[in-house]
Amino acid sequence: MLGQASIPLVGVVDATVIGRTGDTAGLAGVALGATIITLIFWSFGFLRMGVTGLTAQAQGAGDRREVEALLLRALLLGFGLGLAILVLQWPLREAAFALLAGGEGVTSEASAYVTARFLGAPAALSVFAINGWLLGLGKTRAALALQVLMNVVNIAADIFFVWQLDMGAQGVGLGTALAEWSALLAGLVIAGRVAGGGIFATVARTPRSAITDRAAIRRLFAVNRDIMIRTLALLAIFTWFANAGARLGAKELAANHVLMQFINLAAFVLDAFAFTAESRVGNAIGARDKAYFLRSVRLAGEFSLASGVLLSLLFLALGGAVIDFISTDPQVRAEAARFLPFAALVPLLGMPSWMLDGIFIGATRGHALRNAAVLATALYLALDLALRGQGNLGVWIAISASYLLRAGALGLYLPALLRDVESGSAARHLDEGGAEGAQ
């Protein structure tokens, strides 16, 4: 939970450093730019999610060689994809701004932020892979150390670039990119120590045939393809949400971005239990242990529900003070305070969807994740369009309902998974190389 709670602090720091300058256009620009970066970078979030489930299953099956080979495969894939993003940044940036609304001043600030963030793309995607591998092994303290280091560097760099050099949104982007490269260097050291002997020793003792094993690569891409489609569908929800605020004006866009920090905090904290479920479910299926599977799901769900209630109460009690700390603009503060109750409901509304995500990711049921996310996104878009006449109220009703739509759509696949666990076919699915994930 501590490691997960520290992840959204990157976004909170970015918003606060620029928000306390009183520059509404700058804050709105960071909001729009962050949405674009999230859409592009997290399109490859399978590097975290897919690697977690596969690593946990390999560990549960006692296959140490595959555990280490997974790390190296994921690192090569993450760094290569990050380089591709860096090279293709101009068309990606232009396409994103063609899709997302924003005034001239907001778009200028957002463009400066996005350009700076692209510099960290290879590091950011590689860190996704390292985090996924560490979480798959249950090395949560190591993941926490990595995230804390990244946050410390990000805070210091943001303050220096924005408050000392007056670089605005561009400085926020540069600070975060620098933090991502620092996290990659530290992550390689941490992963090497967890594997034993350091990262270079891990590379040396892992046969090239294991890294390039065709069956393992096919399985990695089969699972990752479906998770990528699932991630793109869910990113469409939050991109649409940000664009809905941008259509209403800089005040609404900035206020919604401030409230999104509450939602990100809730999502990452409660995802700690989902990640625990991923690791435990993957271990249970790899070891063919039905009792461990059921106990893991029950305990993770109970703790997640209790934490969701606590977070909702904290948001209601302290949210006003946090809003005032992040932004100094009176209009942004008032708009954010108006819709704070919606943000406070998200820990309760989102908990079932995040927990189900963890269960299905750990079981590497990519087709269920893919289909449920596409269905939920389609229903959300229809609801948002129907409520467009309600202004920002309609925007918040739709995004709140999206969590229930996600949980309901994924819940349709839960009985089948439980039957597979009961019969033992979930383990046979692993033996067959994840063919089901490619359906």
Side-chain angles (χ1 to χ4, degrees):
M1 283 184 67
L2 290 173
Q4 285 301 105
S6 68
I7 292 176
L9 289 180
V10 173
V12 173
V13 169
D14 287 352
T16 302
V17 168
I18 194 70
R20 293 199 64 80
T21 65
D23 183 1
T24 302
L27 179 56
V30 169
L32 188 60
T35 300
I36 292 170
I37 289 297
T38 299
L39 174 62
I40 296 172
F41 284 19
W42 274 102
S43 295
F44 305 98
F46 60 76
L47 289 165
R48 208 289 301 159
M49 292 172 280
V51 170
T52 296
L54 293 172
T55 301
Q57 291 168 7
Q59 184 189 39
D63 191 347
R64 177 181 173 83
R65 189 180 78 165
E66 177 60 15
V67 167
E68 296 185 356
L70 270 166
L71 169 65
L72 300 180
R73 276 190 221 114
L75 278 172
L76 288 172
L77 183 59
F79 199 84
L81 289 171
L83 282 177
I85 290 173
L86 183 59
V87 170
L88 298 173
Q89 62 175 292
W90 185 84
L92 290 172
R93 184 177 62 244
E94 295 305 306
F97 283 117
L99 292 172
L100 298 178
E104 183 177 346
V106 172
T107 300
S108 175
E109 293 285 346
S111 181
Y113 172 86
V114 167
T115 300
R117 283 295 308 272
F118 273 129
L119 297 175
L125 269 60
S126 299
V127 171
F128 285 175
I130 294 172
N131 268 325
W133 187 76
L134 291 173
L135 291 169
L137 295 176
K139 300 295 184 180
T140 54
R141 289 184 181 179
L144 169 61
L146 181 58
Q147 196 59 46
V148 167
L149 174 85
M150 182 172 173
N151 284 329
V152 170
V153 174
N154 186 61
I155 291 170
D158 274 8
I159 290 174
F160 176 73
F161 287 135
V162 178
W163 290 356
Q164 297 297 318
L165 300 185
D166 195 26
M167 295 180 68
Q170 181 185 29
V172 173
L174 284 174
T176 306
L178 178 61
E180 288 164 340
W181 280 105
S182 299
L184 173 58
L185 294 176
L188 291 174
V189 173
I190 291 171
R193 289 182 177 178
V194 170
I199 191 66
F200 293 111
T202 303
V203 172
R205 68 171 173 261
T206 303
R208 299 298 175 270
S209 58
I211 299 174
T212 60
D213 181 88
R214 290 186 178 181
I217 292 174
R218 279 198 304 269
R219 185 176 174 218
L220 177 65
F221 277 97
V223 172
N224 286 347
R225 183 200 63 200
D226 287 336
I227 291 180
M228 183 177 185
I229 295 172
R230 168 259 184 199
T231 303
L232 286 171
L234 296 183
L235 286 172
I237 292 178
F238 295 102
T239 302
W240 188 278
F241 169 76
N243 198 40
R247 283 195 307 268
L248 295 172
K251 176 188 70 176
E252 288 81 4
L253 175 59
N256 289 354
H257 184 63
V258 170
L259 291 178
M260 187 54 67
Q261 306 315 309
F262 291 88
I263 294 176
N264 287 340
L265 179 62
F268 279 103
V269 168
L270 295 182
D271 259 352
F273 299 109
F275 290 173
T276 300
E278 288 178 31
S279 178
R280 299 301 186 269
V281 165
N283 269 278
I285 291 177
R288 294 171 168 79
D289 190 335
K290 183 189 72 175
Y292 186 36
F293 172 90
L294 295 175
R295 184 171 184 270
S296 298
V297 170
R298 178 178 62 82
L299 287 174
E302 290 171 353
F303 276 98
S304 184
L305 176 59
S307 299
V309 171
L310 180 59
L311 280 173
S312 289
L313 294 175
L314 285 174
F315 287 175
L316 287 173
L318 304 176
V322 174
I323 290 170
D324 290 346
F325 178 74
I326 292 177
S327 176
T328 60
D329 186 285
Q331 289 186 321
V332 173
R333 285 177 169 180
E335 184 72 6
R338 180 186 172 199
F339 292 102
L340 176 63
F342 282 94
L345 273 176
V346 167
L348 294 177
L349 299 177
M351 185 280 295
S353 64
W354 297 323
M355 182 53 54
L356 286 168
D357 272 353
I359 293 169
F360 281 88
I361 289 171
T364 58
R365 294 304 174 99
H367 78 297
L369 290 159
R370 176 196 65 206
N371 295 347
V374 170
L375 175 61
T377 300
L379 293 173
Y380 159 75
L381 294 177
L383 179 60
D384 182 84
L385 289 172
L387 295 172
R388 182 160 290 185
Q390 302 299 315
N392 212 19
L393 176 62
V395 171
W396 277 100
I397 292 174
I399 195 67
S400 299
S402 72
Y403 292 99
L404 299 178
L405 294 172
R406 287 171 58 186
L410 198 51
L412 296 174
Y413 290 91
L414 187 59
L417 176 59
L418 293 175
R419 287 195 298 271
D420 287 348
V421 172
E422 181 73 28
S423 66
S425 60
R428 288 197 296 274
H429 153 73
L430 302 183
D431 294 335
E432 293 162 2
E436 175 262 14
Q439 295 175 358

